[in-house]
Amino acid sequence: MTNPNGNGTNLAELERRAAERGPVYGEGAHVVCDNLVRIYKGDGVEVVALQGLDLLVEQGEMIALVGASGSGKSTLLNILSGLDLPTAGVARVGGMDLLEMKARERLRFRRKEVGFVWQQTARNLLPYLTTAQNVALPMRLAGRKRRERAERAGELLELLGVADLGPRRPAELSGGERQRVAIAVAVANSPSVLLADEPTGELDTTGSLEVFEALREVNRELGTTTVVVTHDDEVAERVDRTVRIRDGRTSTEIRRPSGEGGAREEYSVLDRAGRVQLPREFTESLGMKDRVRLTLETDHLGVWPDGTERR
Ligand code: ADP
Ligand code: MG
């Protein structure tokens, strides 16, 4: 086995760590990131964009990824889409290992397994093709028959609420309409995963909500596992799970068990070294800093501000 980034030195170490963990981590999850690392190198400068990121997404789940600019969200999506390779760690989608894949498998993976929507609405569609032709194009590349292509393009445009826009070209559409067409293009070949990197970043509130609803509809109707990066809190509020990335690691997550209006529960990743990141609002509101006192109770752990009395 060779490391695709030519960095073979810590391979033994990685294998040792993988063996230590055993095969169970993320078993059954559709997207698995285990201790994912991505280091960009250039001009003698190294940027550690991902530093041991863990993430599991279940089949058919839809999650939002949030985090400050530069926290590694796009890096993660580029890896999951097969466009970029991690430096170390494990990344699997639908049981396929993104580090082990050969060039041919990778191409197939990118064409059939994942759909991608970019933030820049102009980047998702070819300007000289009509909407219907844009949606049919990936199916043509996959060798599907003309009639089948036209039929599915029609169905998808219908599902995304842009059925009457088939004959128009991208320049004749609003930003929100372009993004909905882009989603149709992304799922044309029935990928198991849909990845969207700030798909509403260029849109106003109404456009954002429409595009987000379209993603939800695709997730619900087609069962496509969906990961959406967003800056928009209003958008992030509308999924069952929001995962926050901080400094190239998953830190906290919020679950809303019954979707909108459900009781909000805060979770944090517990890594194999026992590290937990506490939400900043929690620690700040109790003035926790530098050190906390821990107690083991029968069914939970207590975390107390340093200096508080034992009760
Ligand atoms: P986000 O999408 O959360 O804003 P990115 O994944 O784009 O964050 O970037 C994470 C970090 O990696 C940033 O510090 C960014 O400057 C750096 N980075 C991203 N792409 C490259 C690249 N091609 N070369 C060097 N550094 C990069
Ligand atoms: Mg980004």
Short mmCIF file of all heavy atoms in Angstrom, two decimals, residues 38-42 45-50 67-78 197-198 229 231 245, ligand 1:
data_model
loop_
_atom_site.label_atom_id
_atom_site.label_comp_id
_atom_site.label_asym_id
_atom_site.label_seq_id
_atom_site.Cartn_x
_atom_site.Cartn_y
_atom_site.Cartn_z
N ARG A 38 -5.74 16.55 6.48
CA ARG A 38 -5.37 17.08 5.18
C ARG A 38 -4.42 18.24 5.41
O ARG A 38 -4.75 19.23 6.05
CB ARG A 38 -6.59 17.56 4.40
CG ARG A 38 -6.26 18.24 3.06
CD ARG A 38 -5.61 17.25 2.09
NE ARG A 38 -5.53 17.75 0.73
CZ ARG A 38 -4.40 18.19 0.13
NH1 ARG A 38 -3.27 18.23 0.80
NH2 ARG A 38 -4.43 18.59 -1.12
N ILE A 39 -3.21 18.06 4.92
CA ILE A 39 -2.20 19.11 5.04
C ILE A 39 -1.90 19.64 3.65
O ILE A 39 -1.58 18.88 2.75
CB ILE A 39 -0.91 18.55 5.70
CG1 ILE A 39 -1.25 18.01 7.10
CG2 ILE A 39 0.16 19.62 5.78
CD1 ILE A 39 -0.11 17.25 7.76
N TYR A 40 -2.06 20.93 3.46
CA TYR A 40 -1.68 21.56 2.19
C TYR A 40 -0.24 22.03 2.31
O TYR A 40 0.12 22.66 3.29
CB TYR A 40 -2.56 22.78 1.89
CG TYR A 40 -4.00 22.48 1.60
CD1 TYR A 40 -5.00 22.82 2.50
CD2 TYR A 40 -4.38 21.87 0.40
CE1 TYR A 40 -6.34 22.56 2.22
CE2 TYR A 40 -5.71 21.61 0.12
CZ TYR A 40 -6.68 21.96 1.03
OH TYR A 40 -8.00 21.71 0.77
N LYS A 41 0.55 21.69 1.27
CA LYS A 41 1.96 22.12 1.30
C LYS A 41 2.23 23.01 0.10
O LYS A 41 1.78 22.73 -1.00
CB LYS A 41 2.89 20.90 1.21
CG LYS A 41 2.81 20.03 2.44
CD LYS A 41 3.89 18.95 2.41
CE LYS A 41 3.77 18.11 3.67
NZ LYS A 41 3.70 16.70 3.45
N GLY A 42 2.93 24.07 0.33
CA GLY A 42 3.30 24.94 -0.78
C GLY A 42 4.24 26.00 -0.31
O GLY A 42 4.06 26.53 0.78
N VAL A 45 5.41 26.32 3.18
CA VAL A 45 4.43 26.56 4.25
C VAL A 45 3.45 25.38 4.29
O VAL A 45 3.03 24.90 3.26
CB VAL A 45 3.62 27.85 3.99
CG1 VAL A 45 2.86 28.24 5.24
CG2 VAL A 45 4.54 28.96 3.53
N GLU A 46 3.15 24.93 5.48
CA GLU A 46 2.16 23.87 5.62
C GLU A 46 0.90 24.42 6.27
O GLU A 46 0.97 25.11 7.27
CB GLU A 46 2.71 22.74 6.50
CG GLU A 46 3.74 21.91 5.81
CD GLU A 46 4.00 20.61 6.56
OE1 GLU A 46 3.44 20.44 7.67
OE2 GLU A 46 4.76 19.78 6.04
N VAL A 47 -0.23 24.09 5.68
CA VAL A 47 -1.50 24.45 6.31
C VAL A 47 -2.21 23.16 6.68
O VAL A 47 -2.46 22.31 5.83
CB VAL A 47 -2.40 25.27 5.35
CG1 VAL A 47 -3.72 25.62 6.04
CG2 VAL A 47 -1.69 26.53 4.89
N VAL A 48 -2.48 23.00 7.96
CA VAL A 48 -3.21 21.81 8.40
C VAL A 48 -4.70 22.15 8.35
O VAL A 48 -5.23 22.78 9.26
CB VAL A 48 -2.79 21.37 9.82
CG1 VAL A 48 -3.47 20.06 10.19
CG2 VAL A 48 -1.28 21.24 9.90
N ALA A 49 -5.35 21.76 7.26
CA ALA A 49 -6.76 22.13 7.08
C ALA A 49 -7.69 21.21 7.87
O ALA A 49 -8.70 21.65 8.38
CB ALA A 49 -7.12 22.11 5.59
N LEU A 50 -7.34 19.92 7.92
CA LEU A 50 -8.09 18.99 8.75
C LEU A 50 -7.11 18.31 9.68
O LEU A 50 -6.07 17.83 9.25
CB LEU A 50 -8.80 17.92 7.89
CG LEU A 50 -9.83 18.40 6.87
CD1 LEU A 50 -10.41 17.22 6.10
CD2 LEU A 50 -10.94 19.20 7.53
N GLY A 67 -19.38 26.24 10.58
CA GLY A 67 -18.07 26.53 11.15
C GLY A 67 -17.51 27.79 10.52
O GLY A 67 -17.89 28.14 9.39
N ALA A 68 -16.60 28.44 11.23
CA ALA A 68 -16.02 29.70 10.75
C ALA A 68 -15.32 29.48 9.41
O ALA A 68 -14.97 28.36 9.06
CB ALA A 68 -15.02 30.22 11.77
N SER A 69 -15.13 30.57 8.70
CA SER A 69 -14.40 30.52 7.44
C SER A 69 -12.98 30.02 7.72
O SER A 69 -12.35 30.43 8.68
CB SER A 69 -14.40 31.92 6.85
OG SER A 69 -13.52 31.98 5.79
N GLY A 70 -12.50 29.09 6.90
CA GLY A 70 -11.17 28.54 7.10
C GLY A 70 -11.11 27.36 8.04
O GLY A 70 -10.04 26.82 8.33
N SER A 71 -12.27 26.89 8.53
CA SER A 71 -12.25 25.79 9.49
C SER A 71 -12.10 24.41 8.83
O SER A 71 -11.90 23.42 9.53
CB SER A 71 -13.52 25.83 10.36
OG SER A 71 -14.68 25.78 9.56
N GLY A 72 -12.20 24.35 7.50
CA GLY A 72 -11.95 23.07 6.81
C GLY A 72 -13.17 22.44 6.16
O GLY A 72 -13.11 21.31 5.68
N LYS A 73 -14.27 23.16 6.09
CA LYS A 73 -15.52 22.60 5.54
C LYS A 73 -15.38 22.22 4.07
O LYS A 73 -15.75 21.11 3.66
CB LYS A 73 -16.68 23.60 5.71
CG LYS A 73 -16.88 24.06 7.14
CD LYS A 73 -18.04 25.04 7.26
CE LYS A 73 -17.86 26.33 6.48
NZ LYS A 73 -16.79 27.22 6.97
N SER A 74 -14.83 23.14 3.27
CA SER A 74 -14.69 22.84 1.84
C SER A 74 -13.68 21.74 1.61
O SER A 74 -13.85 20.88 0.73
CB SER A 74 -14.26 24.10 1.07
OG SER A 74 -15.28 25.07 1.13
N THR A 75 -12.62 21.74 2.40
CA THR A 75 -11.62 20.69 2.30
C THR A 75 -12.27 19.33 2.50
O THR A 75 -12.04 18.39 1.72
CB THR A 75 -10.51 20.92 3.36
OG1 THR A 75 -9.92 22.20 3.13
CG2 THR A 75 -9.45 19.85 3.29
N LEU A 76 -13.12 19.24 3.52
CA LEU A 76 -13.80 17.98 3.80
C LEU A 76 -14.71 17.57 2.64
O LEU A 76 -14.69 16.42 2.19
CB LEU A 76 -14.63 18.12 5.09
CG LEU A 76 -15.53 16.94 5.43
CD1 LEU A 76 -14.70 15.68 5.65
CD2 LEU A 76 -16.36 17.24 6.67
N LEU A 77 -15.48 18.51 2.11
CA LEU A 77 -16.39 18.18 1.02
C LEU A 77 -15.63 17.76 -0.25
O LEU A 77 -16.06 16.85 -0.96
CB LEU A 77 -17.33 19.35 0.71
CG LEU A 77 -18.77 19.08 1.11
CD1 LEU A 77 -18.87 18.72 2.57
CD2 LEU A 77 -19.70 20.23 0.77
N ASN A 78 -14.51 18.43 -0.50
CA ASN A 78 -13.72 18.06 -1.67
C ASN A 78 -13.17 16.64 -1.55
O ASN A 78 -13.07 15.92 -2.53
CB ASN A 78 -12.57 19.05 -1.88
CG ASN A 78 -13.07 20.37 -2.42
OD1 ASN A 78 -14.14 20.45 -3.02
ND2 ASN A 78 -12.30 21.42 -2.20
N ASP A 197 -21.74 22.74 -1.14
CA ASP A 197 -20.85 23.65 -0.41
C ASP A 197 -21.39 25.07 -0.46
O ASP A 197 -21.25 25.76 -1.47
CB ASP A 197 -19.44 23.58 -1.01
CG ASP A 197 -18.40 24.20 -0.08
OD1 ASP A 197 -18.79 24.81 0.94
OD2 ASP A 197 -17.20 24.08 -0.38
N GLU A 198 -22.02 25.50 0.60
CA GLU A 198 -22.65 26.81 0.69
C GLU A 198 -23.50 27.11 -0.54
O GLU A 198 -23.33 28.15 -1.19
CB GLU A 198 -21.59 27.89 0.89
CG GLU A 198 -20.72 27.58 2.10
CD GLU A 198 -20.06 28.81 2.70
OE1 GLU A 198 -20.63 29.91 2.59
OE2 GLU A 198 -18.99 28.67 3.28
N VAL A 229 -23.01 22.33 3.53
CA VAL A 229 -22.24 23.33 4.27
C VAL A 229 -23.00 24.63 4.20
O VAL A 229 -23.47 25.02 3.13
CB VAL A 229 -20.84 23.52 3.63
CG1 VAL A 229 -20.15 24.74 4.22
CG2 VAL A 229 -19.99 22.28 3.82
N HIS A 231 -23.52 28.80 6.01
CA HIS A 231 -23.21 29.87 6.95
C HIS A 231 -24.48 30.35 7.61
O HIS A 231 -24.46 31.08 8.58
CB HIS A 231 -22.61 31.06 6.18
CG HIS A 231 -21.15 31.16 6.32
ND1 HIS A 231 -20.29 30.97 5.29
CD2 HIS A 231 -20.38 31.42 7.40
CE1 HIS A 231 -19.06 31.11 5.72
NE2 HIS A 231 -19.09 31.38 7.00
N ILE A 245 -17.69 22.40 12.79
CA ILE A 245 -16.27 22.12 12.62
C ILE A 245 -15.49 23.29 13.18
O ILE A 245 -15.83 24.45 12.93
CB ILE A 245 -15.92 21.93 11.13
CG1 ILE A 245 -16.70 20.73 10.59
CG2 ILE A 245 -14.43 21.73 10.92
CD1 ILE A 245 -16.20 20.25 9.26
P1 ADP B 1 -13.80 26.60 4.87
O1 ADP B 1 -14.45 25.99 3.67
O2 ADP B 1 -14.33 26.08 6.17
O3 ADP B 1 -13.83 28.08 4.82
P2 ADP B 1 -11.35 25.52 3.74
O4 ADP B 1 -11.52 24.06 3.76
O5 ADP B 1 -11.56 26.21 2.44
O6 ADP B 1 -12.26 26.19 4.87
O7 ADP B 1 -9.89 25.87 4.24
C1 ADP B 1 -9.30 25.33 5.41
C2 ADP B 1 -7.87 25.84 5.53
O8 ADP B 1 -7.09 25.31 4.49
C3 ADP B 1 -7.75 27.35 5.42
O9 ADP B 1 -6.73 27.76 6.28
C4 ADP B 1 -7.37 27.56 3.98
O10 ADP B 1 -6.63 28.75 3.83
C5 ADP B 1 -6.52 26.34 3.69
N1 ADP B 1 -6.57 25.92 2.28
C6 ADP B 1 -7.68 25.54 1.59
N2 ADP B 1 -7.38 25.17 0.34
C7 ADP B 1 -6.03 25.31 0.22
C8 ADP B 1 -5.10 25.07 -0.83
N3 ADP B 1 -5.47 24.61 -2.02
N4 ADP B 1 -3.79 25.32 -0.58
C9 ADP B 1 -3.39 25.78 0.63
N5 ADP B 1 -4.20 26.02 1.66
C10 ADP B 1 -5.52 25.80 1.47
#
